[in-house]
Amino acid sequence: MNYAFSEDHESILYSKAVLEQFNTIINNIDAKTGGYLKIHFSYDHTFKGERPDLGLILQPIGKKGAEMAIRLSANDNGRRLGPFPAGDYLATVGALTAIGNRLPVTIEDKATSALKYVLTPDHVIYGTLISALQSKDWSAGMPYHENFTIQSITLSGSGIHRKLDLLDGEDVNILDYLIPRTDSYYKGNFVFYGLPVGEFELIIRAQGYKPFVKKCFIKTGKQSDPIIAELTPE
């Protein structure tokens, strides 16, 4: 089914018309063909600023690449969600800055299963790479990423030194890195997880570009803003 809405890439996430259409489709699904989940979660978000949205990821056991991702709001805590196709799953609830354990769950037709998560946020440093040649397009809301040949992305400071896993190829399942929170780079985006408070130096080296060097500061009670790493050709 294809539907068109007069929205942009951000407003469509909050569109009342989109939500009404989505609910219409869901409510007309034959409940006999699936089961439900009740997700109970607590998220002790003590950081200043807006709390990141949570999501539910369902990974069918034995079915690679058949994952489902559902955005969660505070109102979904304890609410019955679904229906979902019956089967055995690994279920994860979390956000960029807090991921709960991956829990096994069996969804049965016309039945409701329950899961519980307790989430505690931590610090991350993350961002996106662009070329200086595309900086005007980025500010206009129309970025595109070059196929950078990344040599290394490192983060040092506060007693740590980390080097990112550089992922490449269309067969990469980013959930295999997101859920266990493995530091990684993929398709122009990078992230370092679980960082302590302190001062860090980020260095990005890409073939044909000058090294990108940036001081990053993590402060108690404040999440870091995303980094736009603008690479300058040599």
Side-chain angles (χ1 to χ4, degrees):
M1 294 177 288
N2 294 311
Y3 298 89
F5 299 92
S6 180
E7 306 288 350
D8 61 30
H9 67 283
E10 181 175 355
S11 67
I12 197 169
L13 299 175
Y14 309 97
S15 167
K16 182 179 179 180
V18 173
L19 182 60
E20 289 176 347
Q21 183 64 68
F22 177 80
N23 286 333
T24 297
I25 295 169
I26 292 298
N27 291 334
N28 284 317
I29 293 178
D30 185 355
K32 295 180 181 179
T33 63
Y36 298 85
L37 282 176
K38 276 190 177 181
I39 308 294
H40 300 271
F41 55 85
S42 62
Y43 186 17
D44 185 22
H45 189 271
T46 58
F47 293 87
K48 296 179 181 179
E50 186 176 351
R51 188 179 81 166
D53 289 326
L54 296 176
L56 165 67
I57 300 172
L58 288 176
Q59 297 173 287
I61 294 176
K63 295 181 180 179
K64 191 74 173 178
E67 297 89 354
M68 291 178 282
I70 299 94
R71 184 177 177 180
L72 299 177
S73 70
N75 294 331
D76 292 321
N77 189 4
R79 177 184 293 178
R80 191 175 75 157
L81 305 175
F84 302 105
D88 295 323
Y89 294 86
L90 293 175
T92 309
V93 168
L96 176 65
T97 54
I99 295 288
N101 292 333
R102 189 162 20 183
L103 301 177
V105 62
T106 296
I107 297 177
E108 300 178 349
D109 284 338
K110 297 184 287 184
T112 302
S113 301
L115 293 171
K116 183 177 181 180
Y117 294 87
V118 178
L119 303 174
T120 302
D122 60 14
H123 294 283
V124 298
I125 288 177
Y126 67 107
T128 299
L129 274 57
I130 64 170
S131 168
L133 300 178
Q134 280 94 51
S135 59
K136 292 183 179 179
D137 288 338
W138 180 273
S139 63
M142 299 177 294
Y144 69 95
H145 304 298
E146 287 192 356
N147 291 322
F148 296 111
T149 301
I150 302 299
Q151 296 167 326
S152 65
I153 301 179
T154 59
L155 188 73
S156 301
S158 297
I160 71 167
H161 178 80
R162 295 192 192 172
K163 187 175 182 179
L164 287 185
D165 285 344
L166 304 177
L167 310 179
D168 190 25
E170 296 302 321
D171 59 342
V172 172
N173 185 349
I174 196 62
L175 294 179
D176 291 339
Y177 297 84
L178 171 64
I179 294 175
R181 311 189 80 222
T182 302
D183 299 345
S184 56
Y185 167 85
Y186 185 55
K187 289 188 174 181
N189 300 292
F190 65 90
V191 59
F192 293 90
Y193 293 104
L195 298 172
V197 171
E199 178 180 336
F200 302 86
E201 183 177 65
L202 172 68
I203 302 178
I204 301 173
R205 301 183 187 276
Q207 184 176 318
Y209 291 86
K210 298 177 181 178
F212 176 90
V213 181
K214 181 177 177 63
K215 291 289 185 183
C216 305
F217 300 90
I218 291 181
K219 301 179 181 179
T220 302
K222 187 178 186 304
Q223 291 285 13
S224 300
D225 293 327
I227 295 170
I228 305 301
E230 188 174 290
L231 303 186
T232 302
E234 290 181 337

